[in-house]
Amino acid sequence: MVATPKDVLTGYLQGARDVLLWKLAGLSERDVRLPRTPTGTNLLGIVKHALHTEALYFGPTFGRDWPTPDELVPPDGPDPQADWYATESETAAGIVDLYRRVWAFADRTIDDLPLDAVGHVAHWGGEQVTLHQILVHVIVDLQRHAGHADILRERIDGAVGLLPGRGNVSDTTDWPAYTRRLTAIADRFA
């Protein structure tokens, strides 16, 4: 059976979601929160940002409101980075649970509407969009962040790849030797 365009898009959306949560798996609360870049990027913050992205684009954009708005960071709140980190009162398990509930909410929007359904993105000046455009936009955003998460996770414990058991990275490569070879090449340009 040939997949419909919506099936293809939702498959890629779910794939990005799954990767983001896998990058948290087995890590301590500290490890998922710890900033790993000079701008504070951390694994749990990426997941929190992703859930807010989906709640917004598959909610208000199409006239649907998240049923418990107090669970989300207010879009006009005082901290512009508030959806990029977990507060002391939030837990990794709580954020993962909230993200899974946001998935269900987003999936209902996707299931209920045709790809050509029209919505409006408030923070884009009310620009008119279709569900198809928003699906592509969110997939691109989540996949970009999944790449960030992949690099952060590799730096923590060496876990890499698409999904557990599906690493899509050679397990026969001598990575330290490979890295030394690439460093030697780069050093020639110093």
PDB file of all heavy atoms in Angstrom, residues 97-111:
ATOM      1  N   ASP A  97       6.520  13.445  29.888  1.00  0.00           N
ATOM      2  CA  ASP A  97       5.080  13.183  29.941  1.00  0.00           C
ATOM      3  C   ASP A  97       4.303  14.297  29.245  1.00  0.00           C
ATOM      4  O   ASP A  97       3.387  14.032  28.453  1.00  0.00           O
ATOM      5  CB  ASP A  97       4.615  13.040  31.393  1.00  0.00           C
ATOM      6  CG  ASP A  97       3.110  12.897  31.484  1.00  0.00           C
ATOM      7  OD1 ASP A  97       2.582  11.856  31.035  1.00  0.00           O
ATOM      8  OD2 ASP A  97       2.456  13.839  31.972  1.00  0.00           O
ATOM      9  N   LEU A  98       4.658  15.546  29.532  1.00  0.00           N
ATOM     10  CA  LEU A  98       3.986  16.667  28.888  1.00  0.00           C
ATOM     11  C   LEU A  98       4.187  16.616  27.373  1.00  0.00           C
ATOM     12  O   LEU A  98       3.248  16.842  26.608  1.00  0.00           O
ATOM     13  CB  LEU A  98       4.494  17.999  29.462  1.00  0.00           C
ATOM     14  CG  LEU A  98       3.913  19.272  28.854  1.00  0.00           C
ATOM     15  CD1 LEU A  98       2.388  19.299  28.950  1.00  0.00           C
ATOM     16  CD2 LEU A  98       4.530  20.498  29.524  1.00  0.00           C
ATOM     17  N   TYR A  99       5.392  16.294  26.928  1.00  0.00           N
ATOM     18  CA  TYR A  99       5.635  16.214  25.491  1.00  0.00           C
ATOM     19  C   TYR A  99       4.770  15.129  24.853  1.00  0.00           C
ATOM     20  O   TYR A  99       4.173  15.337  23.793  1.00  0.00           O
ATOM     21  CB  TYR A  99       7.110  15.976  25.202  1.00  0.00           C
ATOM     22  CG  TYR A  99       7.499  16.189  23.758  1.00  0.00           C
ATOM     23  CD1 TYR A  99       6.738  16.963  22.889  1.00  0.00           C
ATOM     24  CD2 TYR A  99       8.656  15.621  23.255  1.00  0.00           C
ATOM     25  CE1 TYR A  99       7.121  17.154  21.568  1.00  0.00           C
ATOM     26  CE2 TYR A  99       9.044  15.812  21.929  1.00  0.00           C
ATOM     27  CZ  TYR A  99       8.260  16.574  21.092  1.00  0.00           C
ATOM     28  OH  TYR A  99       8.635  16.760  19.785  1.00  0.00           O
ATOM     29  N   ARG A 100       4.645  13.989  25.502  1.00  0.00           N
ATOM     30  CA  ARG A 100       3.810  12.919  24.945  1.00  0.00           C
ATOM     31  C   ARG A 100       2.338  13.363  24.868  1.00  0.00           C
ATOM     32  O   ARG A 100       1.631  13.030  23.918  1.00  0.00           O
ATOM     33  CB  ARG A 100       3.948  11.647  25.768  1.00  0.00           C
ATOM     34  CG  ARG A 100       5.308  10.984  25.599  1.00  0.00           C
ATOM     35  CD  ARG A 100       5.365   9.664  26.370  1.00  0.00           C
ATOM     36  NE  ARG A 100       6.679   9.087  26.387  1.00  0.00           N
ATOM     37  CZ  ARG A 100       7.228   8.396  25.384  1.00  0.00           C
ATOM     38  NH1 ARG A 100       6.565   8.226  24.273  1.00  0.00           N
ATOM     39  NH2 ARG A 100       8.444   7.893  25.507  1.00  0.00           N
ATOM     40  N   ARG A 101       1.880  14.129  25.834  1.00  0.00           N
ATOM     41  CA  ARG A 101       0.506  14.642  25.782  1.00  0.00           C
ATOM     42  C   ARG A 101       0.358  15.694  24.685  1.00  0.00           C
ATOM     43  O   ARG A 101      -0.674  15.750  24.009  1.00  0.00           O
ATOM     44  CB  ARG A 101       0.086  15.181  27.147  1.00  0.00           C
ATOM     45  CG  ARG A 101      -0.109  14.045  28.159  1.00  0.00           C
ATOM     46  CD  ARG A 101      -0.626  14.498  29.505  1.00  0.00           C
ATOM     47  NE  ARG A 101       0.384  15.241  30.243  1.00  0.00           N
ATOM     48  CZ  ARG A 101       0.241  16.480  30.704  1.00  0.00           C
ATOM     49  NH1 ARG A 101      -0.887  17.145  30.515  1.00  0.00           N
ATOM     50  NH2 ARG A 101       1.220  17.068  31.364  1.00  0.00           N
ATOM     51  N   VAL A 102       1.399  16.510  24.491  1.00  0.00           N
ATOM     52  CA  VAL A 102       1.379  17.475  23.388  1.00  0.00           C
ATOM     53  C   VAL A 102       1.358  16.737  22.047  1.00  0.00           C
ATOM     54  O   VAL A 102       0.662  17.154  21.122  1.00  0.00           O
ATOM     55  CB  VAL A 102       2.562  18.469  23.489  1.00  0.00           C
ATOM     56  CG1 VAL A 102       2.752  19.247  22.200  1.00  0.00           C
ATOM     57  CG2 VAL A 102       2.357  19.429  24.663  1.00  0.00           C
ATOM     58  N   TRP A 103       2.109  15.624  21.939  1.00  0.00           N
ATOM     59  CA  TRP A 103       2.045  14.812  20.703  1.00  0.00           C
ATOM     60  C   TRP A 103       0.610  14.437  20.385  1.00  0.00           C
ATOM     61  O   TRP A 103       0.160  14.551  19.250  1.00  0.00           O
ATOM     62  CB  TRP A 103       2.792  13.496  20.857  1.00  0.00           C
ATOM     63  CG  TRP A 103       4.254  13.499  20.940  1.00  0.00           C
ATOM     64  CD1 TRP A 103       5.095  14.570  20.869  1.00  0.00           C
ATOM     65  CD2 TRP A 103       5.071  12.350  21.133  1.00  0.00           C
ATOM     66  NE1 TRP A 103       6.393  14.132  21.010  1.00  0.00           N
ATOM     67  CE2 TRP A 103       6.400  12.785  21.175  1.00  0.00           C
ATOM     68  CE3 TRP A 103       4.799  10.990  21.288  1.00  0.00           C
ATOM     69  CZ2 TRP A 103       7.466  11.919  21.350  1.00  0.00           C
ATOM     70  CZ3 TRP A 103       5.860  10.127  21.465  1.00  0.00           C
ATOM     71  CH2 TRP A 103       7.179  10.577  21.496  1.00  0.00           C
ATOM     72  N   ALA A 104      -0.080  13.922  21.403  1.00  0.00           N
ATOM     73  CA  ALA A 104      -1.463  13.480  21.187  1.00  0.00           C
ATOM     74  C   ALA A 104      -2.335  14.651  20.737  1.00  0.00           C
ATOM     75  O   ALA A 104      -3.162  14.513  19.828  1.00  0.00           O
ATOM     76  CB  ALA A 104      -2.016  12.830  22.459  1.00  0.00           C
ATOM     77  N   PHE A 105      -2.145  15.795  21.368  1.00  0.00           N
ATOM     78  CA  PHE A 105      -2.870  17.015  20.999  1.00  0.00           C
ATOM     79  C   PHE A 105      -2.556  17.403  19.550  1.00  0.00           C
ATOM     80  O   PHE A 105      -3.460  17.657  18.744  1.00  0.00           O
ATOM     81  CB  PHE A 105      -2.462  18.131  21.972  1.00  0.00           C
ATOM     82  CG  PHE A 105      -2.941  19.504  21.626  1.00  0.00           C
ATOM     83  CD1 PHE A 105      -4.246  19.891  21.884  1.00  0.00           C
ATOM     84  CD2 PHE A 105      -2.073  20.440  21.078  1.00  0.00           C
ATOM     85  CE1 PHE A 105      -4.688  21.177  21.593  1.00  0.00           C
ATOM     86  CE2 PHE A 105      -2.492  21.725  20.780  1.00  0.00           C
ATOM     87  CZ  PHE A 105      -3.809  22.103  21.039  1.00  0.00           C
ATOM     88  N   ALA A 106      -1.276  17.432  19.205  1.00  0.00           N
ATOM     89  CA  ALA A 106      -0.860  17.782  17.838  1.00  0.00           C
ATOM     90  C   ALA A 106      -1.388  16.759  16.841  1.00  0.00           C
ATOM     91  O   ALA A 106      -1.881  17.133  15.762  1.00  0.00           O
ATOM     92  CB  ALA A 106       0.665  17.865  17.765  1.00  0.00           C
ATOM     93  N   ASP A 107      -1.308  15.494  17.199  1.00  0.00           N
ATOM     94  CA  ASP A 107      -1.786  14.440  16.298  1.00  0.00           C
ATOM     95  C   ASP A 107      -3.283  14.556  16.042  1.00  0.00           C
ATOM     96  O   ASP A 107      -3.751  14.268  14.933  1.00  0.00           O
ATOM     97  CB  ASP A 107      -1.432  13.061  16.838  1.00  0.00           C
ATOM     98  CG  ASP A 107       0.055  12.748  16.736  1.00  0.00           C
ATOM     99  OD1 ASP A 107       0.795  13.489  16.043  1.00  0.00           O
ATOM    100  OD2 ASP A 107       0.481  11.762  17.369  1.00  0.00           O
ATOM    101  N   ARG A 108      -4.053  14.982  17.053  1.00  0.00           N
ATOM    102  CA  ARG A 108      -5.493  15.189  16.829  1.00  0.00           C
ATOM    103  C   ARG A 108      -5.717  16.305  15.811  1.00  0.00           C
ATOM    104  O   ARG A 108      -6.571  16.190  14.934  1.00  0.00           O
ATOM    105  CB  ARG A 108      -6.208  15.497  18.148  1.00  0.00           C
ATOM    106  CG  ARG A 108      -6.509  14.253  18.966  1.00  0.00           C
ATOM    107  CD  ARG A 108      -7.440  14.525  20.137  1.00  0.00           C
ATOM    108  NE  ARG A 108      -6.920  15.499  21.087  1.00  0.00           N
ATOM    109  CZ  ARG A 108      -6.058  15.230  22.058  1.00  0.00           C
ATOM    110  NH1 ARG A 108      -5.604  14.008  22.220  1.00  0.00           N
ATOM    111  NH2 ARG A 108      -5.658  16.179  22.877  1.00  0.00           N
ATOM    112  N   THR A 109      -4.937  17.382  15.914  1.00  0.00           N
ATOM    113  CA  THR A 109      -5.060  18.463  14.930  1.00  0.00           C
ATOM    114  C   THR A 109      -4.742  17.928  13.543  1.00  0.00           C
ATOM    115  O   THR A 109      -5.485  18.168  12.583  1.00  0.00           O
ATOM    116  CB  THR A 109      -4.108  19.635  15.283  1.00  0.00           C
ATOM    117  OG1 THR A 109      -4.494  20.180  16.545  1.00  0.00           O
ATOM    118  CG2 THR A 109      -4.132  20.726  14.222  1.00  0.00           C
ATOM    119  N   ILE A 110      -3.652  17.196  13.435  1.00  0.00           N
ATOM    120  CA  ILE A 110      -3.222  16.657  12.140  1.00  0.00           C
ATOM    121  C   ILE A 110      -4.266  15.687  11.596  1.00  0.00           C
ATOM    122  O   ILE A 110      -4.599  15.717  10.400  1.00  0.00           O
ATOM    123  CB  ILE A 110      -1.845  15.987  12.274  1.00  0.00           C
ATOM    124  CG1 ILE A 110      -0.779  17.034  12.634  1.00  0.00           C
ATOM    125  CG2 ILE A 110      -1.468  15.245  10.990  1.00  0.00           C
ATOM    126  CD1 ILE A 110       0.524  16.446  13.175  1.00  0.00           C
ATOM    127  N   ASP A 111      -4.819  14.831  12.447  1.00  0.00           N
ATOM    128  CA  ASP A 111      -5.823  13.863  12.011  1.00  0.00           C
ATOM    129  C   ASP A 111      -7.132  14.535  11.603  1.00  0.00           C
ATOM    130  O   ASP A 111      -7.784  14.103  10.656  1.00  0.00           O
ATOM    131  CB  ASP A 111      -6.121  12.844  13.126  1.00  0.00           C
ATOM    132  CG  ASP A 111      -4.962  11.893  13.386  1.00  0.00           C
ATOM    133  OD1 ASP A 111      -4.048  11.784  12.532  1.00  0.00           O
ATOM    134  OD2 ASP A 111      -4.973  11.257  14.468  1.00  0.00           O
TER     135      ASP A 111
END
